[in-house]
Amino acid sequence: MYGERVARWERAVEWPLMIAAILFLLAYAVKIIYQPTGAVDAASEVVLWATWALFALDYIVRLTITEQRWRWFYRHLLDLAIVVLPMLRPLRLMRFLTVLALLNRGAGNRLRGKVTIYTIGGTIVLILMAGLAVLDAERGGPGPIEDIGDAVWWAFVTITTVGYGDYVPVTDIGRIVAVALMIGGIALIGVVTATVASWIVERVADEEHKKAAATEDQVERLRDEIAELKSMIRELKPAA
Amino acid sequence: MYGERVARWERAVEWPLMIAAILFLLAYAVKIIYQPTGAVDAASEVVLWATWALFALDYIVRLTITEQRWRWFYRHLLDLAIVVLPMLRPLRLMRFLTVLALLNRGAGNRLRGKVTIYTIGGTIVLILMAGLAVLDAERGGPGPIEDIGDAVWWAFVTITTVGYGDYVPVTDIGRIVAVALMIGGIALIGVVTATVASWIVERVADEEHKKAAATEDQVERLRDEIAELKSMIRELKPAA
Amino acid sequence: MYGERVARWERAVEWPLMIAAILFLLAYAVKIIYQPTGAVDAASEVVLWATWALFALDYIVRLTITEQRWRWFYRHLLDLAIVVLPMLRPLRLMRFLTVLALLNRGAGNRLRGKVTIYTIGGTIVLILMAGLAVLDAERGGPGPIEDIGDAVWWAFVTITTVGYGDYVPVTDIGRIVAVALMIGGIALIGVVTATVASWIVERVADEEHKKAAATEDQVERLRDEIAELKSMIRELKPAA
Amino acid sequence: MYGERVARWERAVEWPLMIAAILFLLAYAVKIIYQPTGAVDAASEVVLWATWALFALDYIVRLTITEQRWRWFYRHLLDLAIVVLPMLRPLRLMRFLTVLALLNRGAGNRLRGKVTIYTIGGTIVLILMAGLAVLDAERGGPGPIEDIGDAVWWAFVTITTVGYGDYVPVTDIGRIVAVALMIGGIALIGVVTATVASWIVERVADEEHKKAAATEDQVERLRDEIAELKSMIRELKPAA
């Protein structure tokens, strides 16, 4: 929609950005889980800033080479947010998951295949990121979440809306992360259900309507035949 | 349906009522969170009563100028409830959220856009109101909910059906508010899922049926052609 | 399907059975909540047995007057269960809720109206019955559920899948009741979501397809016209 | 798709494998619940290994007699997993539940009937297996789950996403089992909702569209008639 140059650029940077996103996640995880000092800490910081710079650069390039700049800007506010809010950056990982979509062949399954991949990928990244963020916020505080195992376990319990209550965040940032996870959980239930429902509705329809509905094409061809009929009768007339 | 005069009135009072609803919410929040005395308390009371009077007036005017009074009355029992039960009044906010619907263009998205806006707006207002109401009921009692932060956190945990159990209402009014929130949560899951399902079903259908179904219009045009054919043959007959 | 006599009988006993079901619920509630002795206890017992006898009689009459007895028997195994398992009997209440369906007019809304009424009615009866049953099982035991308020509150928390964990059954019977409620909760979410989804899908379809699909009727009428055409040409032939 | 020989083999071993799966479940349950020693333990081990050998044999035979070996291999990776990961083996039980599908007659209900049976059967087996696995992991540890009753109760509370928090696993294996159950719970809600939605959407459509859409067949027959018309006129022409 925004010119072929953007599409070509996006294809070119797909893999570099995916690797950058994974490096970002790893550096973030190292920083939070091991709380390193000295060289390791400095290296993590370098990776975090370098990957951020890459995503910012990608945003600026795309904004520059697109044909309809303002329209692109308004339709890619989330991309801007991803550059501005470093915490959201790993969501970028999602875009590259589409390569897995190659496994999903067949017309009707295409959209559902994509939705399934985005949902699984998005849920995993959301759980990992929320686990890291809540560990960062809660560790050393009055709450029970003190290591990464507890944090990821808490994230699973929350996103599935089970909510045992054995681990609960007590800090403000921890609670904000929890609310994001809960909203993710509601969305997760929604998407899973909707995908299954779409599949069932379609399969039931296939079972029942062996007799397909008449198509516009068919009726058009019928009309051509009648037009031919008319011209045949027109020829007949002077002869009579 | 109930005459153009009502529609014109509703458009005219849209913004004044929206502002009144926000003032009501703020005054209610101030009263409950800060438990003011003296001048601030009196001011809150004035705002609460003035906004209530505005909504009551709006109801009476609409009932007066409508053409089919009884039918309007039966179809707007919720509006009556909103005037009679002051606590429900902020639900009015919802109607004005439709202005945001301008952002949602395109035929099929219109209904879903509206549903999305009402759902998000309604959920936020429900969480805020339930938080305030439960704080009012539980503060100073044997339960753990003692400040607005805890109350809103509890409302999020409840409406998403996570239910950690770290904060639980123990008074009768608190429990009634909780039941309303739980029902809201079930409805929330239902609406989110249904909206996503509708979107997926439609997109899958678009992918598959490039060949559109024959329409009534097409067949009607076919019939016209055949009628023409007939008259041509009728002309032919006497000539023979 | 099973003869008009059964339909007439069912219409005739609709209200008496509804009243019997309400009396049964009341007597059951009195017995469990107040644990009466002496005359009140005896009266409750009489009501419980009398209403049970009524339902058993209704079952026998319907089985006797139906035309296809075995088929009716197999298709009404739930009715047999309701007579044999006295605890399920209040489910009967559900059938009479259809009278409320009169409020729901319009073609497409008819099924959804019925589903809505059955869902709301069934949920309320399920919550009340589960509350009474769990109170009966847990009172005086090691668990925290000791009065009807706690029991109904627990039932709401369970059926909405919130599950705070402030009240949890600890006896075997209490846990079986809880599992029934949880299954009811999953079904409740399913039915609410499905009803909303059906409504949204239909409304979106209405918005989009102003142009209706060609019907079988239309095409049949087209065929009649062509048949007429043929006979006109056949007349033409000998004349030439 | 993979040749008739495989289909015949699968029909032949259906019942033997179903019995083997039940024996496996029983031996597994005996081993975990009663923690037997001596002869009983040895017998359980023999049953576990013998049933495993049967499933491995079935896999090898099917892989050998299929026509398109590689394609079959890729499409049956789950079967390989079931043979390699003994814990998943009871999922095999699911395939045999299709015999119950005989009870579900009628076109549109066929798929939904199958989905319902697989869902109920899969949920029961999942709850039992998860209960046994969590009991095996948690018993004797710091967590509260100490007998099979608690474990199955916990499994129900988890799969329905209620999550009271009265019993929570604390070991790593216990938590992995819990996460599998939670994912099963999300899937359960999705499938229940989707099945109900499919049923409601279909029933509402039945209520509304008494007038069926024109079919391809109908239009084809119309075309034949017009072709006949043409040949009649062609005959007419030389006569004129």
Side-chain angles (χ1 to χ4, degrees):
Chain A
M1 210 189 302
Y2 305 107
E4 216 201 307
R5 268 189 303 173
V6 177
R8 239 181 306 143
W9 167 266
E10 284 180 349
R11 247 174 288 125
V13 297
E14 200 165 340
W15 284 98
L17 285 184
M18 175 129 98
I19 291 162
I22 293 170
L23 285 177
F24 172 86
L25 250 181
L26 287 177
Y28 188 61
V30 163
K31 247 189 105 66
I32 290 177
I33 299 174
Y34 301 108
Q35 295 174 293
T37 51
V40 178
D41 185 43
S44 308
E45 277 298 327
V46 167
V47 171
L48 288 175
W49 279 102
T51 53
W52 179 83
L54 261 172
F55 282 106
L57 184 73
D58 170 61
Y59 180 81
I60 291 164
V61 168
R62 286 191 297 154
L63 183 60
T64 311
I65 66 178
T66 189
E67 277 155 21
Q68 296 152 290
R69 208 156 294 166
W70 279 109
R71 212 173 145 196
W72 191 91
F73 178 77
Y74 282 119
R75 300 223 168 180
H76 293 74
L77 284 173
L78 188 64
D79 290 42
L80 180 62
I82 286 166
V83 165
V84 172
L85 311 166
M87 227 180 79
L88 287 174
R89 219 175 322 156
L91 285 175
R92 258 306 174 86
L93 257 175
M94 293 306 89
R95 205 211 290 168
F96 311 118
L97 281 164
T98 43
V99 292
L100 295 177
L102 297 170
L103 299 169
N104 288 280
R105 280 176 243 109
N109 290 323
R110 237 185 305 162
L111 179 70
R112 276 201 298 273
K114 247 179 179 166
V115 167
T116 307
I117 288 163
Y118 274 70
T119 305
I120 294 175
T123 305
I124 290 172
V125 172
L126 189 58
I127 287 172
L128 292 180
M129 290 306 294
L132 290 170
V134 100
L135 179 62
D136 197 26
E138 295 280 319
R139 185 164 40 192
I145 299 170
E146 293 296 335
D147 68 60
I148 185 69
D150 293 347
V152 169
W153 164 249
W154 164 83
F156 265 111
V157 169
T158 300
I159 204 169
T160 55
T161 80
V162 169
Y164 288 128
D166 52 346
Y167 292 91
V168 179
V170 295
T171 62
D172 286 351
I173 293 172
R175 282 179 177 179
I176 289 167
V177 172
V179 166
L181 260 186
M182 290 169 198
I183 292 168
I186 297 284
L188 180 63
I189 292 174
V191 172
V192 168
T193 302
T195 308
V196 177
S198 154
W199 181 81
I200 288 180
V201 165
E202 191 180 285
R203 290 291 296 265
V204 168
D206 280 3
E207 261 181 358
E208 289 194 325
H209 304 292
K210 294 294 178 206
K211 40 177 199 178
T215 63
E216 289 196 335
D217 265 28
Q218 273 192 309
V219 175
E220 281 314 314
R221 260 172 299 149
L222 215 64
R223 226 165 133 184
D224 292 348
E225 304 249 353
I226 290 173
E228 221 181 308
L229 247 178
K230 269 187 188 163
S231 73
M232 281 167 74
I233 293 176
R234 217 170 280 124
E235 281 174 43
L236 216 64
K237 217 173 161 183
Chain B
M1 210 188 304
Y2 305 107
E4 217 202 305
R5 268 189 305 173
V6 177
R8 240 181 307 144
W9 168 267
E10 285 181 348
R11 247 174 289 126
V13 298
E14 201 165 340
W15 284 97
L17 285 184
M18 176 130 96
I19 291 162
I22 292 169
L23 285 177
F24 171 87
L25 250 181
L26 287 177
Y28 187 60
V30 164
K31 249 190 103 67
I32 291 177
I33 298 173
Y34 301 107
Q35 297 175 292
T37 51
V40 178
D41 186 43
S44 308
E45 277 299 327
V46 167
V47 171
L48 288 175
W49 279 103
T51 54
W52 178 84
L54 260 172
F55 283 106
L57 184 74
D58 170 60
Y59 181 80
I60 291 164
V61 168
R62 285 190 297 154
L63 184 60
T64 311
I65 66 179
T66 189
E67 277 154 22
Q68 297 152 289
R69 208 156 296 166
W70 279 108
R71 213 173 145 197
W72 190 91
F73 178 77
Y74 282 118
R75 300 222 169 180
H76 293 74
L77 284 173
L78 188 64
D79 289 43
L80 181 60
I82 286 167
V83 165
V84 172
L85 311 165
M87 226 179 81
L88 286 175
R89 218 177 322 159
L91 285 175
R92 257 307 174 85
L93 257 175
M94 294 306 88
R95 207 212 288 167
F96 311 118
L97 282 164
T98 43
V99 292
L100 295 176
L102 297 170
L103 298 169
N104 288 280
R105 280 176 243 109
N109 290 323
R110 238 184 305 161
L111 179 70
R112 275 201 299 273
K114 247 178 178 166
V115 167
T116 306
I117 288 163
Y118 275 69
T119 305
I120 293 174
T123 304
I124 291 171
V125 172
L126 189 57
I127 286 172
L128 292 180
M129 291 306 294
L132 290 170
V134 100
L135 179 62
D136 198 27
E138 296 279 319
R139 186 164 40 194
I145 300 170
E146 292 297 334
D147 68 61
I148 185 68
D150 293 348
V152 169
W153 165 248
W154 164 83
F156 266 112
V157 169
T158 300
I159 204 170
T160 55
T161 80
V162 169
Y164 289 127
D166 51 346
Y167 293 91
V168 179
V170 295
T171 63
D172 285 353
I173 293 171
R175 283 179 176 179
I176 289 167
V177 172
V179 166
L181 259 188
M182 290 169 198
I183 293 168
I186 297 284
L188 180 64
I189 292 174
V191 172
V192 168
T193 302
T195 308
V196 176
S198 154
W199 181 81
I200 287 180
V201 165
E202 191 179 285
R203 290 291 295 265
V204 169
D206 280 4
E207 262 182 357
E208 289 194 327
H209 305 293
K210 294 293 178 208
K211 37 178 203 179
T215 63
E216 289 195 336
D217 264 28
Q218 273 192 308
V219 175
E220 281 315 313
R221 259 172 299 148
L222 215 63
R223 227 165 135 184
D224 292 349
E225 305 249 352
I226 289 172
E228 221 181 308
L229 247 177
K230 269 187 189 162
S231 72
M232 281 166 74
I233 292 176
R234 217 169 279 124
E235 280 174 42
L236 215 64
K237 219 171 159 183
Chain C
M1 210 188 306
Y2 304 108
E4 217 203 306
R5 269 190 302 174
V6 177
R8 239 180 308 143
W9 168 266
E10 285 181 350
R11 247 174 290 126
V13 297
E14 201 165 338
W15 283 97
L17 285 184
M18 175 130 97
I19 291 161
I22 292 169
L23 286 176
F24 171 86
L25 250 181
L26 287 177
Y28 188 61
V30 164
K31 248 191 103 67
I32 290 177
I33 298 173
Y34 302 107
Q35 296 174 292
T37 50
V40 178
D41 185 43
S44 308
E45 278 297 328
V46 167
V47 171
L48 288 175
W49 280 103
T51 53
W52 179 84
L54 260 172
F55 283 106
L57 185 73
D58 170 60
Y59 181 81
I60 291 163
V61 168
R62 285 190 297 153
L63 184 61
T64 311
I65 66 179
T66 189
E67 277 155 22
Q68 296 152 289
R69 207 157 296 166
W70 279 109
R71 212 173 146 197
W72 191 91
F73 178 78
Y74 282 119
R75 300 223 168 181
H76 293 75
L77 284 173
L78 188 64
D79 289 42
L80 181 61
I82 286 167
V83 165
V84 171
L85 312 165
M87 228 180 78
L88 286 175
R89 220 177 320 157
L91 286 175
R92 258 306 176 87
L93 257 174
M94 293 307 90
R95 208 212 289 166
F96 310 118
L97 282 164
T98 44
V99 293
L100 294 177
L102 297 171
L103 297 169
N104 288 281
R105 280 176 242 109
N109 290 323
R110 237 185 305 161
L111 179 70
R112 275 200 299 274
K114 247 180 179 165
V115 166
T116 306
I117 288 162
Y118 274 70
T119 304
I120 294 174
T123 304
I124 291 171
V125 172
L126 189 57
I127 287 172
L128 292 180
M129 290 306 295
L132 290 169
V134 101
L135 179 62
D136 197 26
E138 295 280 318
R139 185 165 40 194
I145 300 170
E146 292 297 336
D147 67 60
I148 186 68
D150 293 347
V152 169
W153 164 248
W154 163 83
F156 265 111
V157 169
T158 301
I159 204 169
T160 55
T161 80
V162 169
Y164 289 127
D166 52 345
Y167 293 90
V168 179
V170 295
T171 62
D172 285 353
I173 293 172
R175 283 179 175 179
I176 289 167
V177 172
V179 166
L181 258 188
M182 290 169 198
I183 293 167
I186 297 284
L188 179 63
I189 292 174
V191 172
V192 168
T193 302
T195 308
V196 176
S198 154
W199 181 82
I200 288 181
V201 165
E202 192 179 284
R203 291 290 296 264
V204 169
D206 280 4
E207 262 182 356
E208 289 195 326
H209 304 293
K210 294 293 176 206
K211 39 178 200 179
T215 63
E216 288 196 337
D217 263 29
Q218 273 192 308
V219 175
E220 282 314 314
R221 261 173 299 149
L222 215 64
R223 228 165 132 183
D224 291 349
E225 304 249 355
I226 290 174
E228 220 181 309
L229 246 178
K230 269 188 188 161
S231 73
M232 281 167 75
I233 292 176
R234 217 170 280 126
E235 280 174 44
L236 216 63
K237 218 169 158 185
Chain D
M1 211 188 304
Y2 305 107
E4 216 202 306
R5 269 189 304 173
V6 177
R8 240 182 305 144
W9 168 266
E10 284 181 349
R11 247 173 290 126
V13 298
E14 201 165 339
W15 284 97
L17 284 184
M18 176 130 95
I19 292 162
I22 292 169
L23 286 176
F24 172 86
L25 249 182
L26 287 178
Y28 188 61
V30 163
K31 248 190 103 66
I32 290 176
I33 298 173
Y34 302 107
Q35 296 175 292
T37 50
V40 178
D41 185 42
S44 308
E45 278 297 327
V46 167
V47 171
L48 288 175
W49 279 103
T51 53
W52 179 84
L54 259 172
F55 282 106
L57 185 73
D58 170 60
Y59 180 80
I60 291 163
V61 167
R62 286 189 297 153
L63 183 61
T64 311
I65 65 179
T66 188
E67 277 154 22
Q68 296 152 289
R69 209 157 295 166
W70 280 108
R71 214 173 144 196
W72 190 92
F73 178 78
Y74 282 118
R75 299 223 169 180
H76 292 75
L77 284 173
L78 188 64
D79 289 42
L80 181 61
I82 286 167
V83 165
V84 171
L85 312 165
M87 228 179 79
L88 287 174
R89 219 177 320 158
L91 286 175
R92 259 305 176 86
L93 258 174
M94 294 306 89
R95 207 212 289 168
F96 310 118
L97 281 164
T98 43
V99 293
L100 295 177
L102 297 170
L103 298 169
N104 288 281
R105 280 175 244 109
N109 290 323
R110 237 184 304 160
L111 178 70
R112 275 200 299 273
K114 246 179 178 168
V115 167
T116 306
I117 289 164
Y118 274 70
T119 305
I120 294 174
T123 304
I124 291 172
V125 172
L126 189 58
I127 287 172
L128 292 181
M129 290 307 294
L132 291 170
V134 101
L135 179 61
D136 198 27
E138 295 280 318
R139 184 164 41 194
I145 299 169
E146 293 296 335
D147 68 59
I148 186 68
D150 293 347
V152 169
W153 164 248
W154 164 83
F156 265 112
V157 169
T158 300
I159 204 169
T160 55
T161 80
V162 170
Y164 288 127
D166 52 346
Y167 292 90
V168 179
V170 294
T171 63
D172 285 352
I173 293 171
R175 284 180 176 178
I176 289 167
V177 172
V179 166
L181 259 187
M182 290 170 198
I183 293 168
I186 297 284
L188 180 63
I189 292 175
V191 172
V192 168
T193 302
T195 309
V196 177
S198 155
W199 181 81
I200 287 181
V201 166
E202 192 180 283
R203 290 290 296 266
V204 169
D206 280 4
E207 261 182 357
E208 290 195 324
H209 305 292
K210 293 296 177 205
K211 40 178 199 179
T215 63
E216 288 196 336
D217 265 28
Q218 274 191 308
V219 176
E220 282 314 313
R221 260 172 300 149
L222 214 65
R223 227 164 133 185
D224 292 348
E225 304 250 354
I226 289 174
E228 221 181 308
L229 246 177
K230 269 186 188 163
S231 73
M232 281 168 72
I233 292 176
R234 217 169 281 126
E235 279 173 44
L236 215 64
K237 219 169 160 185

